[in-house]
Structure formats: C-alpha cells, structure tokens
Amino acid sequence: MSKHAFTLTCSLAVLAVVLAAWQWVPGWLGTPEYIWPKFTSVVTEGFRMWHDGNLLEHFGYTALEVVLGFILGAMLGLFVGVVLGLSPTTESILSPYILALQIAPKVAFAPLFVMWMGYTIYPKILVGILIVFFPIMINVLSAIRTVDPDMVNLVRTLNASRWQIFRLVEFPSSLPALFSGLRIGSTLAVIGVTVGELVGGNKGLGFLLVDSEGQGNTAGVFVAIFGLTVIGIVAYALVVWAERRCLHYVPKVNTTTV
C-alpha cells in the first residue's frame, strides 16, 4: 500500500470512528435529542431542510458572500501590503491606524454595517473583507521587505526600471507568503460572513443557524454548521490548488503543507 493510500485509509477510519461515536454515545449516555442529536437525526434534518427549508438557497447565499468577501479582502490586502512594503514612510504613517482597525473586534462592526446598509448582502461582505485583509497584508508586507537584495541589485545592473524590479523580483518572491495568507483568509472569510449573518441576516446559513436555535432545533443547528464547514473546506482547497499551480517551481521543502 502506498503512503498516500495508507494516509487516506487512516483518515477515513478516524472519520468512521467519530461518526459511530456521534451516533451511539448520546444514546448510551441518555442525552436528549434536543441537547445532542444522533448523527442520523442530523442527516434526516438536513434532507428535510433541503426539500422544505430552502437549504440550498441559504447555502448559495452564504457561499456568494464568502467568495466576494474573500476576493475583495485579498485584493485589498495585496495592494496595501505591496504599497507599505515598497514605502517604509507610508507604513510608518498608516500602520497605527491599520493596527487599530485589526485590534477592534469585527463583531462590533457588524451591527454598525447593518445600520448603515440594512439587511442586505453588503454588511456581510464588508465584515468578510475586514477579517481577510489583515493576514494577507502582513504576509505580503513581510515578504516584500525580505526580498534578497542581491537579486534586486542584479536586476538593477541590467538597467531594469522600478516596475520591472517589482514584476520580476519582488512580486514573485512574495507569492509564497501571499498564498500562506490566502490559506488563512479563506477560512477567516467564512467566520466573518457568519458573524455578519448572525448579527443582521435574513438569509444564509448564519441566519439558518439562529433560526434553528430559536426553534430549539439542535439538529438544524448542526446542519448549518456542517454547511459552513463545507464552504470553508472548498475555499481552502481551491486556494491550495491555485498555490500548487502557481508555485510548482518552488521546492516542496519550502512550501507549506495542507
């Protein structure tokens, strides 16, 4: 058996044990269904919500918010990280305000955005942008600052322009750090959007989670959590796929692992 097949087999075995424990342990402990429903109860509730509760619509709504928040937050983080990395003076001026924005709890912004924009898609996207922005910005900024000066000087000896130095040396050197930030951001985007939906949503899995909690439908809460987890896993997997396509030339010992 190959190493990959062995790893996959062990992973599936762990999953089987977890699901079996979820199914049987609550009954052995006498835990009521409204406290900890069995796995089959959650699956049954998921099918019911799929047919009667517009689960797919809520899932798609949240997935759209996550994608938009992640892409816009990543673009903003990349832009600001490059600007601050190339200009220490600009970083000195703006870093206190960026740090203050990061320290401020994102949950506190969600009600404010809802008050400004109503129960629309925009507050959730904005929270997603805020929570994705910082890790990507910091990673890109650090990568730009740590570019090998010998490589920069070599390109300068060839009469390269400032734009060519950035395009040929600085930006390619920042790609591994950028993708590390994107991995983090892909999971944080789900958290940000969920916070926005919990605070002021009338659609999405976050709203579905609150609605199920209000009805005492614990199985429905688990269904919403599972849906959010699926979105996060898919987003993370897409970033890993893009990283492998873009950074295929980087030795594996220098790349992060899944």
Side-chain angles (χ1 to χ4, degrees):
M1 181 182 293
S2 66
K3 182 179 179 180
H4 178 73
F6 176 77
T7 303
L8 179 61
T9 302
C10 292
S11 180
L12 292 176
V14 171
L15 177 61
V17 171
V18 171
L19 295 181
W22 187 353
Q23 175 66 22
W24 299 110
V25 170
W28 292 341
L29 297 178
T31 307
E33 282 279 314
Y34 65 88
I35 297 295
W36 191 270
K38 295 184 293 186
F39 176 70
T40 51
S41 300
V42 175
V43 174
T44 301
E45 180 63 16
F47 280 113
R48 187 199 67 78
M49 295 172 69
W50 180 276
H51 292 290
D52 304 330
N54 297 322
L55 178 60
L56 182 60
E57 178 184 353
H58 289 292
F59 183 91
Y61 193 82
T62 298
L64 176 62
E65 292 170 341
V66 169
V67 169
L68 293 177
F70 172 68
I71 292 176
L72 295 176
M75 293 174 61
L76 181 62
L78 173 61
F79 174 76
V80 175
V82 168
V83 171
L84 299 186
L86 296 178
S87 175
T89 301
T90 304
E91 181 193 4
S92 300
I93 295 173
L94 297 181
S95 59
Y97 306 102
I98 295 175
L99 181 61
L101 181 63
Q102 172 61 18
I103 293 174
K106 305 304 178 291
V107 178
F109 286 100
L112 188 62
F113 293 154
V114 172
M115 293 172 63
W116 288 346
M117 303 176 187
Y119 292 90
T120 63
I121 194 174
Y122 303 111
K124 295 83 171 178
I125 294 176
L126 277 178
V127 177
I129 291 173
L130 282 179
I131 203 168
V132 168
F133 161 76
F134 194 77
I136 294 177
M137 185 272 293
I138 287 296
N139 278 25
V140 173
L141 169 61
S142 301
I144 293 291
R145 288 289 175 82
T146 56
V147 172
D148 187 355
D150 292 334
M151 291 294 297
V152 175
N153 292 331
L154 175 62
V155 176
R156 280 176 177 163
T157 60
L158 301 176
N159 295 322
S161 64
R162 187 66 191 84
W163 165 248
Q164 289 175 320
I165 293 174
F166 172 74
R167 181 173 61 88
L168 298 175
V169 178
E170 293 171 331
F171 182 70
S173 298
S174 69
L175 283 179
L178 170 62
F179 276 104
S180 295
L182 290 176
R183 288 190 182 212
I184 300 172
S186 63
T187 56
L188 292 179
V190 179
I191 298 174
V193 167
T194 303
V195 167
E197 291 179 344
L198 290 175
V199 172
N202 53 11
K203 289 182 180 179
L205 293 176
F207 165 77
L208 202 62
L209 192 153
V210 173
D211 185 62
S212 298
E213 183 271 337
Q215 299 177 23
N217 183 3
T218 310
V221 172
F222 275 105
V223 172
I225 293 173
F226 178 76
L228 291 168
T229 303
V230 169
I231 292 175
I233 291 174
V234 171
Y236 185 88
L238 289 175
V239 171
V240 171
W241 174 82
E243 180 181 10
R244 289 174 176 172
R245 296 276 296 185
C246 296
L247 301 182
H248 58 85
Y249 58 88
V250 178
K252 290 185 178 181
V253 292
N254 294 331
T255 60
T256 55
T257 57
V258 179

